[in-house]
Amino acid sequence: MFQPSLLSRSVTLAIAGLAGSSAMAEQVAADDQPHSLQLDAVSVTASEGATKTETPFLETPQTVSVISPDDWESQGARSVQQAARYSPGVGTNQVGASNRYDYLILRGFSDGSINNTYLDGLRVMNDGGSYSSFVIDPWFLDRVELVKGPASVLYGQGSPGGLVALSSKQPEFERSGEVRLTTGSHQQGSLAFDLTGPVDDDHAFAYRLTGLASGADGQQDFVKEERYAIAPSITGYLTDDTSLTVLAYLQHEPEGGYHSGLPYEGTVEPRNGQTIDNTFFEGEPGYDRFERDTTLLGYDLEHSFTDNWTVRQKARYLSAEVSLAQVYAYGWANDTELTRYYSGGDEQLQAVTLDNQVQADLRTGPVEHRVLVGVDYQQRDNEVVWSSGVFPNIDAFDPDYGAEPSAMYPAVRNERELRQTGLYLQDQLALGGWHLTVGGRHDWVAINNTNKDTDVVAQLDDTQFSGRAGLVYAFESGVAPYASYSTSFSPSAYTDEGGDLLAPSQGRQIEAGVKVQPTGSQDQYSLSLFRIHQEDLATKLPQESFYRSIGEMRSQGVELEARSQLTDQLKVQASYAYTDVTFEQSEPYREGKTASQVPRHQLNVWADYRFGRGLLEGGEVGLGVRHAADIYADDANTKKVPDYTLLDLTVGYDFGALGANGLTSRVTVNNLLDESYVASCYNSLDFCYFGAERTITAAVSYAF
């Protein structure tokens, strides 16, 4: 069971705290006011997600895509999932127009986001085997990093495809604020604010208060989305060498939108000459609901013993309450009617995460070292009650609502527990232009899933070792070729013949590439080639009712990304990804086949032009193209989802050109041509997801 005392006791572990985050080759000048904690804006030339230290772009031996608020605001993104849609090797249309969860497919692995999301360096303890999942609104974020490939060496269990590292807005000592109003199609509207500044005259403490209230109609009939969130935080120096940040994130979602799929025949292909409308709702207005309340409370504590030795501790308590009732379709009953079932859930999740690190910046002869030693702990307890039933069929082309369930089955009660402790070591070595990163980690993992009605327990008690080695040579011209090898492990939700959970799957990646950042420029270009092999996947053989750890999957491909400020006014972001994901060993129907939902080809281009003079001074226009091709609709590769190309548009204006400093406006249009398309189908031909139709959003912001 959950033990709140862990959070209070964890304070005593501060001596093993988290490391400082200055780049190895740089020294940050001391502030003239020793009690004024200066939180510098993070440049896109550095990232933290891949190394847990702020490492320059050219010195990171791994592909990392960094997304800024300017990116997602100009592109009209309303979620982390949407914010990532112009990045290479990331599938963001897994469930089409649904906004309930932040699903991302990283290098072909669909569990790469919902179970592998981090906020400020700590895992967001989603339970991928249930409905409990935390979603952070982009308004509260300062940066999103997509770390490609295995990252277990620093984070423990995770998808071999990569992780999503979110950074929240932090308190600043310079007073500022922003208020934003939005409206648009689908009855959408929101009010958001963001305030920060010093608490006292001595500038020893600073605060930040960020809030949001938003709502919209879903694309499907009878569906709504509604969210209320607030994030207070305070930071300051306890001594000249000790800083503390305390932060919270509270979110209430009384309406969670749509999350279901429809058969391939009737969506991608006509059903007896008829096609289902992309606004069709197959559920029951009187029964469907999704309500979620989430809380995150935590702190970051840092102490510098000397200029070269720093400790830091991060701790967070998380809780989520989810109430779900959903009537969904599962295949055709006859020529026009869909078979329907009912699924319900009431869940209460509580979790604690703790990360302690010691960092030392050392030198052995001519070699510089950034050594990071850490111990982290993760604990999750989720009490769930799941119910099910049967509903009468519904006509997909002429629906009639108001049906009552034809059968309801007894609820199932489960308790899902996870404990993970990890010990890790990383050394970043620098000698001239050479940069070598090596690391290793040992994990102790315990999982218990208990059926509280039968007392049957499925359990796992395991240890795992993960490692990484990466080498970069950074030329003075700003060209940096690199190569790396990394491993991962990921626990399974399936059980063997004895009823115990299968051993975790193992992942390993070889990656090589080149990064370019011309001297004195913020432009970034990268080319990477990768091959990921995952083994010990859960596989059910014919005539068997249990699973075996005998499956293997291989993902390989090429990713290119360019971010360039071509002129003072014109900025371009472009990416291409080729991703080939194959089941090398699996159930007979899909062995040797390509995984569904993964576009083999993705091409994205976004261009933004800001007028600097003349009658249009203060104006901005942006145009984006997103293309996805060669997507299988099922793992047996019998059908494909048609290729699709989408256009996005933004038009903005800064009224500072007219003397109204701080006042800006923007109109964004996603899917400009209102293309009707199916985004993907999940592993079969029964659950296909319509893509989002045209969405228009108008926003007015005032910054002060």
Side-chain angles (χ1 to χ4, degrees):
M1 298 297 293
F2 173 71
Q3 302 174 37
S5 60
L6 280 173
L7 187 60
S8 59
R9 285 186 290 152
S10 68
V11 177
T12 63
L13 299 177
I15 193 65
L18 180 65
S21 59
S22 56
M24 182 181 299
E26 300 174 344
Q27 295 293 325
V28 178
D31 195 284
D32 292 336
Q33 298 178 345
H35 291 286
S36 178
L37 180 60
Q38 184 66 38
L39 300 178
D40 295 332
V42 179
S43 168
V44 296
T45 60
S47 62
E48 297 181 5
T51 60
K52 284 192 176 180
T53 64
E54 189 172 310
T55 304
F57 169 72
L58 293 179
E59 298 175 14
T60 303
Q62 195 167 357
T63 300
V64 181
S65 294
V66 180
I67 310 167
S68 71
D70 283 346
D71 294 329
W72 66 69
E73 290 289 348
S74 64
Q75 295 163 7
R78 296 168 51 202
S79 65
V80 171
Q81 175 176 279
Q82 293 177 3
R85 58 194 171 191
Y86 278 89
S87 300
V90 183
T92 61
N93 243 339
Q94 184 176 353
V95 287
S98 175
N99 295 309
R100 182 176 296 178
Y101 304 111
D102 280 326
Y103 288 115
L104 290 90
I105 300 177
L106 302 175
R107 289 188 168 172
F109 295 91
S110 59
D111 61 343
S113 59
I114 194 169
N115 295 324
N116 222 25
T117 298
Y118 288 77
L119 177 65
D120 299 327
L122 294 176
R123 184 187 295 273
V124 178
M125 298 295 289
N126 296 316
D127 185 356
S130 74
Y131 303 112
S132 296
S133 178
F134 295 82
V135 173
I136 310 298
D137 194 283
W139 177 252
F140 298 87
L141 299 177
D142 183 61
R143 183 175 56 177
V144 174
E145 294 182 34
L146 305 175
V147 181
K148 314 291 183 61
S152 289
V153 65
L154 292 178
Y155 295 98
Q157 62 167 305
S159 165
L163 63 84
V164 181
L166 312 178
S167 298
S168 61
K169 292 178 177 178
Q170 298 289 311
E172 298 177 356
F173 282 86
E174 182 177 347
R175 194 177 306 279
S176 65
E178 183 178 2
V179 178
R180 185 189 69 182
L181 282 168
T182 66
T183 186
S185 59
H186 300 89
Q187 300 296 312
Q188 62 173 305
S190 72
L191 170 63
F193 65 88
D194 182 22
L195 308 172
T196 189
V199 173
D200 57 335
D201 294 337
D202 293 332
H203 284 58
F205 292 90
Y207 79 96
R208 192 154 198 160
L209 182 63
T210 310
L212 169 77
S214 65
D217 288 345
Q219 180 168 307
Q220 283 69 26
D221 297 332
F222 308 109
V223 174
K224 294 185 179 297
E225 301 172 3
E226 194 173 350
R227 174 177 295 167
Y228 305 93
I230 191 166
S233 58
I234 188 168
T235 191
Y237 270 106
L238 305 181
T239 69
D240 289 351
D241 301 313
T242 306
S243 64
L244 174 67
T245 299
V246 180
L247 62 160
Y249 183 82
L250 310 173
Q251 186 164 279
H252 173 55
E253 295 167 281
E255 300 283 355
Y258 181 78
H259 191 272
S260 192
L262 296 167
Y264 185 92
E265 189 179 9
T267 55
V268 179
E269 295 179 349
R271 169 79 171 178
N272 296 324
Q274 298 186 84
T275 302
I276 301 173
D277 192 273
N278 66 354
T279 64
F280 168 67
F281 176 63
E282 81 277 23
E284 281 295 336
Y287 280 85
D288 282 71
R289 72 175 186 279
F290 183 86
E291 184 174 356
R292 175 172 53 196
D293 289 282
T294 55
T295 300
L296 291 82
L297 306 171
Y299 65 84
D300 296 353
L301 179 65
E302 179 180 313
H303 177 74
S304 297
F305 291 102
T306 67
D307 291 341
N308 298 326
W309 286 86
T310 305
V311 298
R312 186 183 293 167
Q313 180 182 75
K314 295 186 177 186
R316 184 181 297 133
Y317 163 76
L318 309 91
S319 70
E321 294 186 7
V322 174
S323 179
L324 164 83
Q326 181 172 342
V327 179
Y328 64 97
Y330 194 176
W332 291 101
N334 52 51
D335 287 345
T336 62
E337 293 184 331
L338 294 166
T339 303
R340 292 196 299 175
Y341 297 91
Y342 170 83
S343 181
D346 288 290
E347 303 183 355
Q348 293 186 331
L349 180 149
Q350 297 185 83
V352 165
T353 60
L354 177 68
D355 191 8
N356 307 285
Q357 295 181 359
V358 178
Q359 177 179 304
D361 293 337
L362 308 172
R363 181 184 291 272
T364 56
V367 181
E368 296 178 339
H369 299 261
R370 168 152 293 170
V371 179
L372 191 65
V373 181
V375 179
D376 63 22
Y377 176 75
Q378 304 172 25
Q379 171 180 316
R380 185 195 69 221
D381 296 274
N382 195 8
E383 299 276 353
V384 306
V385 179
W386 294 328
S387 55
S388 59
V390 179
F391 260 73
N393 302 338
I394 190 169
D395 192 314
F397 309 104
D398 186 18
D400 185 20
Y401 300 99
E404 297 292 329
S406 55
M408 293 295 289
Y409 305 119
V412 176
R413 300 182 303 138
N414 285 306
E415 181 178 3
R416 303 167 58 83
E417 301 173 298
L418 165 71
R419 306 289 185 271
Q420 176 180 303
T421 302
L423 172 64
Y424 56 92
L425 170 66
Q426 175 181 267
D427 190 3
Q428 294 173 272
L429 302 89
L431 175 61
W434 292 100
H435 300 272
L436 173 65
T437 300
V438 292
R441 176 187 175 106
H442 190 81
D443 275 290
W444 294 263
V445 182
I447 301 175
N448 289 282
N449 294 339
T450 304
N451 185 317
K452 300 184 71 174
D453 297 312
T454 64
D455 292 328
V456 173
V457 181
Q459 60 184 4
L460 170 72
D461 194 350
D462 196 25
T463 61
Q464 293 285 331
F465 177 81
S466 308
R468 174 175 62 179
L471 182 64
V472 180
Y473 187 80
F475 292 93
E476 292 184 359
S477 61
V479 178
Y482 71 93
S484 64
Y485 174 81
S486 55
T487 65
S488 68
F489 73 95
S490 181
S492 174
Y494 297 98
T495 56
D496 60 17
E497 188 175 12
D500 287 328
L501 292 168
L502 297 178
S505 63
Q506 312 290 324
R508 61 182 185 273
Q509 173 184 265
I510 297 175
E511 179 177 336
V514 61
K515 299 182 178 183
V516 179
Q517 184 171 13
T519 303
S521 169
Q522 292 292 307
D523 292 356
Q524 294 182 354
Y525 309 91
S526 63
L527 164 66
S528 61
L529 295 87
F530 66 90
R531 183 183 178 96
I532 303 173
H533 191 82
Q534 188 179 26
E535 57 187 17
D536 299 331
L537 290 171
T539 301
K540 181 186 286 187
L541 298 178
Q543 312 304 319
E544 291 184 345
S545 60
F546 57 91
Y547 287 84
R548 300 176 184 269
S549 295
I550 60 174
E552 296 184 14
M553 177 181 286
R554 185 259 301 146
S555 173
Q556 61 185 5
V558 180
E559 295 174 359
L560 299 94
E561 185 171 22
R563 289 174 171 269
S564 179
Q565 190 76 41
L566 295 179
T567 69
D568 290 342
Q569 287 79 42
L570 179 60
K571 178 174 65 176
V572 175
Q573 175 186 352
S575 69
Y576 169 76
Y578 170 83
T579 311
D580 176 22
V581 185
T582 302
F583 293 98
E584 294 190 328
Q585 293 184 30
S586 188
E587 291 85 349
Y589 79 92
R590 64 180 183 179
E591 187 166 319
K593 306 294 186 179
T594 299
S596 60
Q597 294 193 300
V598 182
R600 182 165 299 207
H601 301 278
Q602 287 178 285
L603 176 64
N604 305 305
V605 180
W606 177 267
D608 188 280
Y609 187 85
R610 301 192 178 191
F611 297 90
R613 62 188 64 181
L615 293 176
L616 297 179
E617 181 181 357
E620 175 190 357
V621 61
L623 182 66
V625 180
R626 293 178 280 139
H627 177 72
D630 205 3
I631 311 169
Y632 279 102
D634 61 329
D635 287 347
N637 294 176
T638 64
K639 300 284 186 179
K640 279 188 174 182
V641 172
D643 303 347
Y644 57 86
T645 301
L646 307 175
L647 299 181
D648 301 321
L649 174 71
T650 187
V651 178
Y653 189 76
D654 184 346
F655 289 91
L658 301 178
N661 294 330
L663 182 64
T664 60
S665 64
R666 181 182 300 278
V667 175
T668 58
V669 185
N670 292 138
N671 191 0
L672 177 65
L673 302 182
D674 201 18
E675 183 76 16
S676 181
Y677 69 103
V678 171
S680 78
C681 298
Y682 176 68
N683 188 24
S684 69
L685 303 179
D686 291 311
F687 297 100
C688 297
Y689 303 93
F690 283 116
E693 60 188 3
R694 179 167 54 214
T695 304
I696 304 172
T697 304
V700 177
S701 300
Y702 179 63
F704 51 92

